[in-house]
Amino acid sequence: MSAVRIVIVDDHPIVRHGLAGVFADEPGIDVVGEADSGPRGLVVIADTEPDVVLMDLRMSDGDGVPAIRELVKNRTRGRPRVLVLTTYDTDRDIRSALNAGADGYLLKDASRTELVRAVRDLAVGRPVLAPAALAALLGREAETELSTREIDVLRLVADGLTNRAIATRLRISESTVKTHLLHTYSKLGAADRAQAVRICWERGLV
């Protein structure tokens, strides 16, 4: 069986070197590349064709979520699989990463054994979720579906309408439009209007 090829994307050199050291002694796992940002990670990944990518979420020169979306959009035969490895454990961060297409979510306080097992599991198609990520999914599962009105609002946002114009079109107050948008951002793990529209476009909702 061939070795699992991995790329590490993190903007802290000490983290990258530490992770590379963890895998250096693991039979059947080869670190084939490193990068310090999402955009540079995409270049390294294209050059090395890894099986698994370890991706941090927030990096100074380019965050992980846009890179994950790009990877998922262009990958073939389900490769590479993406393991988010981060210190951020809020519902918003978790949902943002998973909505972008990450295959696993692990916190940086995971043990060496957990990390190695996660890479091996992802390599064979088994999803990996830290307890915080699992709790975010199970604890708010009922809240993830957008209401009909929230979709109506987002469709008008996608058409370029302002909050005031949307309120007029739907015959609701402007503050109600803002409330619908805030609920939508929370459910989608989106940071702003553009990201919310993009996520819904990818899901075929707008």
Side-chain angles (χ1 to χ4, degrees), residues 136-195:
L137 289 179
L138 297 180
R140 297 197 178 182
E141 185 174 0
E143 299 180 17
T144 61
E145 186 174 348
L146 297 182
S147 69
T148 300
R149 181 60 87 190
E150 287 163 351
I151 292 174
D152 289 341
V153 169
L154 268 184
R155 284 174 176 163
L156 293 176
V157 169
D159 288 340
L161 273 67
T162 64
N163 286 358
R164 180 172 296 181
I166 292 170
T168 301
R169 179 78 63 88
L170 298 179
R171 297 181 180 179
I172 57 178
S173 69
E174 191 171 348
S175 62
T176 299
V177 173
K178 292 178 181 177
T179 298
H180 283 315
L181 286 173
L182 289 174
H183 288 168
T184 300
Y185 298 164
S186 176
K187 291 178 180 181
L188 298 176
D192 53 31
R193 298 162 73 95
Q195 188 177 14

Side-chain angles (χ1 to χ4, degrees), residues 54-111:
L54 275 61
M55 181 81 69
D56 194 8
L57 274 188
R58 300 182 189 174
M59 293 172 279
S60 56
D61 290 333
D63 286 349
V65 168
I68 294 170
R69 288 201 190 96
E70 190 69 19
L71 279 176
V72 171
K73 183 173 68 175
N74 295 312
R75 66 183 174 186
T76 58
R77 298 186 301 278
R79 303 283 177 160
R81 294 191 169 95
V82 181
L83 174 63
V84 171
L85 186 63
T86 184
T87 58
Y88 301 100
D89 63 353
T90 67
D91 284 9
R92 180 171 179 171
D93 288 315
I94 293 166
R95 289 188 181 282
S96 181
L98 297 180
N99 286 339
D103 303 286
Y105 198 102
L106 204 61
L107 299 179
K108 286 181 178 176
D109 62 0
S111 68

